[in-house]
Amino acid sequence: MLAVAVVAALALAVTASIMKDPRHGEGLLGEVLVSGDGRTITTLNSRTPCQQDPPELVASESRDSVTLVLKESDIDLRPQCNTIDEQITTTLQSPLGTRRLVDPDNGWTIAPFDQKRLANPRYLPPGYAPTTDVKWSDSSQHDLLSAFFMRDRNSGPAWTRFYHRAPEKASLSITQISGNLTVSAAGTPESIHGWAGRLTPDSNYTVTWTNGAYTFIVSTTDQHLHEAELLRIAKHLTP
């Protein structure tokens, strides 16, 4: 069980923090997803597309472990353009199973989130669809909040899905964290499937609740997506 107080800024920072460049300081540690069949590994990466070719996520497999390596091209420092945050994947020769998933920078075990455990969003606002380009439409929120929440080797598995109204960038996210975070008293009390949660309206709306096994955070930077819609998304999030 994770004993962490969750305020509104921290709740938003969970989604923002995983968009940091995973090459800085902690290698690939961060959010990692393993597919239902155990063969596809997905993580997040930040790059500058005009300066480098897309990176390649490479898995080195042994009987007891799988080591993930991010192979990148050389960076041309002359062009300047905005970075993009995106999902990248690799396919294993055989299912991960009970093998350790290893960060080569420090030898730490990465705790991946099992895709079979993800709750299903049965309602999304009109026009919204999943996106693998996960940079927030309001990039200032990323810069402001990324310092509040940093994952480490003791963090439970987590995964965040991002949604957008095409052709806009991501402005809606759903985070699912293994463990029971203590939801703070900030915001308005709400009941999500009978579980106590909190709605925090601010410059962003955030709904946070726990069901004893997972903590969920539904968050948006879309100023046109009002709290009733955000609550509807939360209340239609089911296993």
Side-chain angles (χ1 to χ4, degrees), residues 14 86 210:
V14 172
E86 61 188 354
T210 180

Side-chain angles (χ1 to χ4, degrees), residues 100 126 149 157 232:
R100 293 175 60 226
F149 184 92
R232 186 175 178 185

